[in-house]
Amino acid sequence: MSADSAKVSVFVAVPIADAFEIFTKEIDRWWRQGPKYRLGGTRRGTLFMEEGVGGRLFETFEVASGGTRTFEVGKITVWEPPRELQLEWRIANFKPGEKTFVEVLFETTAGSESEGTLVTVRHYGWSAIPDDHPARHGQVGAAFLRTIGMWWASLLTSLREHTSE
């Protein structure tokens, strides 16, 4: 973990092409529910990733007043199946122009004891977000990056569980 990023990896027991497809096309099925992971909180919602550079990662969810709202979490900047995916990342309380970046790498482990794919997520660019920003929940430096790492670790654990169903 650098002073600007959190990095987490998980092994999934599926071929690399399947790991990439599950990560991207089945994102709503493996991404955890609830207010810690979804903008809609406990309300019904759907997370979707559009394919290709310029595609969006967005969540559509029900709002208390009725109807739905869509929020764009990310914009894809690199789309190289089955090896790499990168996107600009925004949280709902980011100001215009504020963003961080997420890099997802898929590496085959074929030929080793356990065949499958190592999925690594690196979330970086946090140095551009002020220390007093609400997204940090009062944490700065290494403490904040550990929290981000634990958040992604929980999500990647869910991905691993989903691939083994």
Side-chain angles (χ1 to χ4, degrees):
M1 208 166 15
S2 77
D4 185 52
S5 68
K7 185 176 179 180
V8 180
S9 297
V10 69
F11 172 80
V12 293
V14 296
I16 191 170
D18 293 345
F20 189 92
E21 186 164 317
I22 290 167
F23 190 98
T24 58
K25 291 185 180 177
E26 296 182 19
I27 195 164
D28 187 62
R29 294 181 58 204
W30 64 263
W31 196 278
R32 294 194 186 276
Q33 298 289 326
K36 184 175 178 180
Y37 301 99
R38 302 276 184 132
L39 290 171
T42 57
R43 293 188 180 95
R44 290 178 19 136
T46 304
L47 196 61
F48 186 78
M49 185 177 289
E50 297 171 333
E51 294 183 17
V53 172
R56 302 173 300 152
L57 171 61
F58 62 91
E59 182 179 356
T60 299
F61 53 93
E62 295 176 350
V63 292
S65 61
T68 60
R69 178 175 178 229
T70 298
F71 180 80
E72 182 179 299
V73 178
K75 180 79 74 179
I76 296 171
T77 58
V78 174
W79 181 267
E80 296 178 3
R83 303 235 174 255
E84 184 176 0
L85 163 70
Q86 291 187 36
L87 52 121
E88 294 178 350
W89 183 272
R90 293 186 43 78
I91 300 173
N93 60 9
F94 276 16
K95 295 176 185 171
E98 289 182 328
K99 60 187 169 188
T100 57
F101 305 92
V102 175
E103 172 187 65
V104 187
L105 301 176
F106 301 82
E107 299 172 80
T108 186
T109 59
S112 65
E113 260 179 51
S114 302
E115 292 194 17
T117 306
L118 184 66
V119 180
T120 301
V121 171
R122 183 172 70 103
H123 194 154
Y124 64 99
W126 289 103
S127 61
I129 306 301
D131 286 347
D132 63 349
H133 195 284
R136 293 181 178 274
H137 302 284
Q139 297 179 327
V140 295
F144 173 71
L145 293 173
R146 273 193 299 278
T147 298
I148 291 296
M150 301 266 298
W151 186 81
W152 278 108
S154 178
L155 286 171
L156 290 184
T157 296
S158 184
L159 173 67
R160 184 186 68 229
E161 291 167 352
H162 177 71
T163 62
S164 64
E165 293 176 347

